[in-house]
Amino acid sequence: MSGPDSPNVPPGAFPFGAGLLFCPADRPDRFAKAAARADAVILDLEDAVAAADKPAAREAVAASRLDPERTIVRVNPAGTSDFDADLAALRTTGYRSLMLPKAQDPGEVRALAGYGVVVLCETAAGVLNAAALAAEPNTVALMWGAEDLIASLGGTSSRDGGGAYRAVALHARSSVLLAAAAHGKAAVDAVYLDLEDAGGLEAEARDAAASGFAAKACIHPGQVEAVRAAFAPDPAEVAAARALLDAAAGEAGVFRFNGRMVDEPLLRHARAVLGRAGQAG
């Protein structure tokens, strides 16, 4: 019997691409530029917009004409008056992909039937309920957020002095990735806040891709190309994966290839490389 967590069922396809770019919803002058720079743009009605500017931001989103297939709207948290106003504005648009921040209760996702939801797990309850949130049929992906999570715990920093995530943040990151995959959904890695640290961004994005994340969110247009490059396998990696799968075509069960023992998990790794490269596995 095969289910979402069967070893033969990979995480669900993510339709938006690897490089997602947040754009403040009160800056309509940036909408088209952000969409042009990224695989998909996230129009942000929540944290990027001051309370007094949210009505104007909703009007800007409602008036925009971006490609709905490449546009996600981050609304305010469920249960707030801003959330209700956000949904009222979105009903006048063609946008049907939402990001739900500080999600905790699967019922919040269920209430958004008709929308594809990127569920943002960024509180202790949200991380602990990640599997239930991922199980909702209209959940497209799970994303995690380090800074709000640490704030919800009463902490002061998600990273140590060397720039590495603290253990609790890594636990949340892994929990969200595992929950998403167990239910056949994609996972999106959190933003990288240090705009001057290109090397750190590249390393974290490469780790995200190798670990199984489908995408990584960006907060600046200059980060997008580094994320895209990290998620795109280099030619040597693609060639090695193709050679391994070609060799496997004449083998049954475990076999030896280039001095290594190869079994089905390694073949699935190779298929994932080709999938990321846009090739048939």
Side-chain angles (χ1 to χ4, degrees):
M1 179 174 170
S2 180
D5 56 354
S6 164
N8 296 316
V9 180
F14 188 61
F16 298 107
L20 313 182
L21 178 59
F22 278 101
C23 181
D26 61 346
R27 293 299 305 270
D29 56 308
R30 297 182 183 178
F31 288 3
K33 295 176 183 177
R37 293 289 295 272
D39 294 318
V41 62
I42 304 169
L43 301 181
D44 189 1
L45 288 165
E46 194 212 10
D47 285 345
V49 181
D53 297 328
K54 289 184 187 291
R58 291 184 196 103
E59 292 178 5
V61 171
S64 64
R65 296 295 181 268
L66 300 179
D67 180 359
E69 300 299 317
R70 298 179 54 244
T71 304
I72 303 166
V73 179
R74 177 158 78 166
V75 296
N76 284 276
T80 65
S81 59
D82 282 319
F83 172 79
D84 295 334
D86 293 344
L87 291 186
L90 284 176
R91 293 188 192 104
T92 69
T93 75
Y95 303 137
R96 289 298 176 267
S97 297
L98 302 183
M99 179 176 286
L100 182 63
K102 300 174 180 63
Q104 300 186 150
D105 182 350
E108 298 169 352
V109 181
R110 204 172 307 131
L112 291 169
Y115 292 96
V117 183
V118 177
V119 178
L120 187 43
C121 302
E122 52 184 346
T123 66
V127 172
L128 291 178
N129 289 337
L133 292 162
E136 290 300 316
N138 59 323
T139 294
V140 174
L142 296 186
M143 179 175 163
W144 78 289
E147 307 315 318
D148 276 298
L149 172 64
I150 294 299
S152 80
L153 300 175
T156 59
S157 174
S158 66
R159 297 180 187 264
D160 62 24
Y165 276 127
R166 299 186 188 281
V168 68
L170 287 176
H171 175 78
R173 186 179 192 240
S174 298
S175 296
V176 167
L177 175 60
L178 290 167
H183 290 279
K185 306 296 173 68
V188 179
D189 199 23
V191 299
Y192 195 82
L193 296 179
D194 190 343
L195 297 179
E196 303 301 319
D197 184 11
L201 169 65
E202 180 180 355
E204 189 166 286
R206 288 193 180 281
D207 177 76
S211 297
F213 284 94
K216 186 171 181 64
C218 304
I219 56 172
H220 189 278
Q223 294 181 322
V224 175
E225 284 308 313
V227 168
R228 282 174 166 166
F231 276 80
D234 63 44
E237 191 178 3
V238 173
R242 173 57 69 190
L244 177 58
L245 292 174
D246 287 347
E251 302 286 348
V254 177
F255 66 100
R256 182 186 178 100
F257 181 74
N258 286 345
R260 298 180 68 197
M261 184 277 289
V262 177
D263 58 6
E264 180 58 26
L266 293 184
L267 297 180
R268 292 177 65 208
H269 293 177
R271 294 185 193 108
V273 168
L274 296 187
R276 281 170 47 204
Q279 300 183 25

